[in-house]
Amino acid sequence: MKHPSPHIISEGGVQFELGGLRGNCIEYDFKKMLIYLEAKGKLLFGKKFKIYRKDYEVLYKLCNYQIKDWSTCKRLGIDPKKGLLLSGPVGCGKTSLMKLLRCMTPHYPTYEIIPARNISFGFNHIGYSIIVQYGDHSFYCFDDLGIEPTGRFFGKDCNVLGEILLSRHELFLSHRVKTHATTNLNAQELEERYGNRVRSRMREMFNLISFDAESKDKRK
């Protein structure tokens, strides 16, 4: 389905113009994107939702990645061909932002957000077929990566998300299939959780964007 004006989005009877057209190109306005994200956030998560000024730096990177502003991404050291690994403390807003980000670009393929723990629990019930299931060409964002329990099927343990990430890496190399993830863990903790082999491939697959380690828990 084509979107003749993808920069104009209607929510709750209100139109949000995220930028303007110049020829066939959309020139996005970061301030207007912030207004939309806060309004959409209130619709999705309740009236208490707020975009915090201290998060503008992270949001600027995420927004430019999502709209594929190649020149700005290059300046920021971001590769739009890779996925996102959004890291930060518990409650800083990672999952909410990943849910919101995909709403800004209705003309782009979207991604499904899947809690990593649900995948691990699924492995316990149906076994290795779940690794095959998430090794397909769909776009996913694995939420809370690294804190999921180890999978166990018929008495055998499996680092389920580690195996899935290896499969997703192969898809990334062969078909440029992107994977996103959120995590509370830092690089060292991820390596301890998944091993150096997976961590090395994650560097190839992901742009790492991080909240400040002192970001407060917005759910309190």
Side-chain angles (χ1 to χ4, degrees):
M1 179 180 178
K2 291 186 177 180
H3 296 267
S5 302
H7 62 297
I8 301 175
I9 303 176
S10 295
E11 299 285 357
V14 179
Q15 277 198 340
F16 294 88
E17 193 166 339
L18 307 188
L21 284 175
R22 176 172 289 188
N24 292 325
C25 296
I26 302 170
E27 291 189 346
Y28 284 91
D29 184 315
F30 181 56
K31 291 182 180 179
K32 291 180 179 180
M33 287 191 280
L34 290 176
I35 292 170
Y36 168 72
L37 289 173
E38 182 157 297
K40 181 65 173 178
K42 290 182 185 299
L43 287 173
L44 289 178
F45 312 120
K47 293 182 179 179
K48 291 184 178 180
F49 179 85
K50 181 181 178 182
I51 296 290
Y52 291 84
R53 182 172 292 275
K54 65 179 67 175
D55 295 334
Y56 280 10
E57 183 179 348
V58 169
L59 280 162
Y60 186 70
K61 292 177 181 178
L62 293 175
C63 286
N64 279 285
Y65 170 87
Q66 186 64 19
I67 64 174
K68 298 182 181 178
D69 185 328
W70 290 86
S71 60
T72 302
C73 282
K74 184 177 181 179
R75 177 169 56 82
L76 295 171
I78 296 170
D79 184 350
K81 294 180 181 178
K82 295 184 178 183
L84 292 173
L85 177 60
L86 185 58
S87 71
V90 173
C92 67
K94 302 180 295 296
T95 306
S96 297
L97 289 183
M98 290 305 294
K99 288 179 178 178
L100 285 174
L101 200 62
R102 57 188 178 178
C103 300
M104 290 198 312
T105 50
H107 53 307
Y108 291 157
T110 190
Y111 49 86
E112 186 178 357
I113 298 177
I114 310 289
R117 64 194 301 269
N118 288 5
I119 298 173
S120 188
F121 292 148
F123 176 85
N124 297 344
H125 289 287
I126 64 175
Y128 291 89
S129 62
I130 201 152
I131 296 173
V132 176
Q133 177 182 331
Y134 287 102
D136 65 2
H137 286 70
S138 299
F139 297 137
Y140 297 111
C141 174
F142 299 128
D143 194 32
D144 278 336
L145 185 70
I147 62 170
E148 73 281 353
T150 298
R152 171 165 284 205
F153 187 67
F154 280 100
K156 291 186 177 181
D157 288 347
C158 178
N159 193 327
V160 183
L161 267 296
E163 293 297 327
I164 289 173
L165 288 171
L166 290 174
S167 296
R168 303 291 300 179
H169 176 259
E170 291 178 11
L171 282 172
F172 171 71
L173 292 180
S174 61
H175 294 92
R176 287 295 171 185
V177 176
K178 289 193 287 190
T179 304
H180 303 312
T182 71
T183 185
N184 302 332
L185 307 185
N186 59 35
Q188 181 61 39
E189 291 169 327
L190 285 168
E191 187 164 326
E192 290 172 2
R193 180 71 175 84
Y194 297 114
N196 182 61
R197 182 172 172 233
V198 173
R199 176 64 186 139
S200 174
R201 283 155 178 76
M202 289 175 71
R203 291 190 190 98
E204 290 186 69
M205 293 167 61
F206 294 121
N207 295 286
L208 176 60
I209 297 178
S210 301
F211 281 88
D212 189 286
E214 302 302 317
S215 294
K216 70 175 185 177
D217 188 339
K218 299 178 177 70
R219 293 179 292 198
K220 291 183 178 179

